[in-house]
Amino acid sequence: MKTQQKGFVIAIDGPAAAGKGTIVQLLTEHFKGVNIYTGGMYRALALKCIRSDIDLNDSEQIIHILNETKIDLGADGSMGAVAQIFLDGGNVTNEIRTPKAALGAGKVGQIKQVRQVMLFKQREIAQRFVDQGRVVIIDGQDIARSVYPQAKVKIFLTATQEERAKRRKKQYDKQGINKTMSDMLEEIKIRDTNDFTRELHPLSNVPEKDGYSVVDSTNLNELETKDAIVEIVSKNK
Ligand code: C5P
């Protein structure tokens, strides 16, 4: 009888535009795993607010709309491929990749009730796949400390602000979104301030102390970064 592989979680946290999306995709392919893209869930809620003309500073309305919103991960799309994000049944995977949705995600992610709902949902989805014996790669900002503290491997993926601004600009260029380097650096700085200093589940300022293996990808290409993480996984799992 074939024994089922034991499932485990690789948590990948880190600041905006550190390359999590690409690296997670490579890791998901490498391990034939499942990706849970938590940022996409916050972006989807932000998109819903933007579409419904809800002020992103109005937490009461945002909580209200969250109760009427269905955010899901694609069952097929998330298997060894880019996680597909569904908002009220519609695939919004591409639509959430805008500067507006990114900044909006940062705003809705500061609301306690929103984080509680997301955290519960993310934990539930992760556990379901672990129980099926899958390698689950969850990327976000607070995964290793809040969503899945028992993760076998905890990675903090980072790069300098300048390098991250450069990478994000490249992404936007491809999407036909025009931004200058100074616009991009400004966006990254705003997002870092928000993500490292928010009251609830901020990004760690002392990742080593918090139990992470830190991977600084400033001078690494995508494959080198993926390989560095695969090596950490093989030592830790
Ligand atoms: O990873 P991504 O760039 O898509 O995340 C968008 C934003 O969503 C982050 O900058 C952060 O403000 C928020 N977020 C969060 N908690 C997570 C993932 C993302 O607050 N677990």
Side-chain angles (χ1 to χ4, degrees):
M1 199 176 77
K2 206 175 149 201
T3 47
Q4 195 191 15
Q5 177 196 319
K6 240 177 144 208
F8 66 94
V9 167
I10 305 172
I12 315 247
D13 289 330
K20 280 179 292 177
T22 312
I23 300 307
V24 161
Q25 200 184 328
L26 292 172
L27 288 171
T28 307
E29 279 159 18
H30 180 92
F31 291 106
K32 297 192 174 36
V34 181
N35 169 221
I36 298 173
Y37 169 35
T38 63
M41 297 167 77
Y42 289 96
R43 284 173 183 255
L45 177 60
L47 179 66
K48 171 106 176 212
C49 294
I50 294 164
R51 279 180 180 172
S52 319
D53 264 334
I54 286 176
D55 179 357
L56 286 162
N57 296 307
D58 187 342
S59 19
E60 219 169 280
Q61 280 228 59
I62 294 169
I63 294 161
H64 180 75
I65 204 160
L66 175 63
N67 291 328
E68 309 175 335
T69 302
K70 204 166 173 286
I71 296 168
D72 241 319
L73 288 167
D76 302 327
S78 56
M79 302 281 182
V82 182
Q84 303 290 302
I85 303 286
F86 288 86
L87 174 63
D88 297 325
N91 191 329
V92 292
T93 312
N94 294 326
E95 218 182 318
I96 55 173
R97 296 244 147 250
T98 62
K100 252 188 164 174
L103 288 170
K107 291 211 160 167
V108 300
Q110 290 184 49
I111 305 166
K112 191 172 169 195
Q113 290 89 331
V114 168
R115 290 205 86 80
Q116 273 169 349
V117 171
M118 296 292 193
L119 202 128
F120 184 78
K121 211 172 168 51
Q122 290 154 8
R123 205 176 275 163
E124 192 186 55
I125 301 172
Q127 198 53 51
R128 177 160 32 100
F129 286 120
V130 168
D131 291 345
Q132 289 170 11
R134 314 265 327 208
V135 178
V136 182
I137 298 128
I138 319 181
D139 64 304
Q141 301 202 322
D142 58 339
I143 307 306
R145 291 186 301 162
S146 315
V147 176
Y148 212 88
Q150 67 274 43
K152 278 254 161 63
V153 185
K154 300 172 185 180
I155 305 286
F156 194 86
L157 181 62
T158 188
T160 60
Q161 285 187 325
E162 287 70 21
E163 179 61 26
R164 288 187 280 128
K166 216 161 83 188
R167 291 179 189 170
R168 189 46 54 92
K169 180 171 172 353
K170 226 169 159 183
Q171 249 175 34
Y172 284 157
D173 284 348
K174 267 196 207 149
Q175 289 173 258
I177 299 171
N178 279 327
K179 292 271 182 183
T180 63
M181 254 315 274
S182 82
D183 284 342
M184 274 334 304
L185 199 53
E186 187 57 25
E187 185 187 312
I188 294 292
K189 283 182 177 165
I190 294 173
R191 290 184 62 188
D192 276 0
T193 304
N194 170 23
D195 294 346
F196 279 98
T197 64
R198 70 168 169 258
E199 201 181 323
L200 298 158
H201 314 147
L203 270 164
S204 172
N205 280 304
V206 282
E208 280 103 347
K209 265 198 184 159
D210 284 328
Y212 286 101
S213 300
V214 177
V215 175
D216 184 336
S217 69
T218 307
N219 297 309
L220 300 180
N221 68 28
E222 289 161 356
L223 286 178
E224 289 167 337
T225 309
K226 187 258 303 174
D227 289 344
I229 296 176
V230 169
E231 203 184 319
I232 295 169
V233 174
S234 68
K235 283 187 189 147
N236 286 274
K237 80 171 179 142

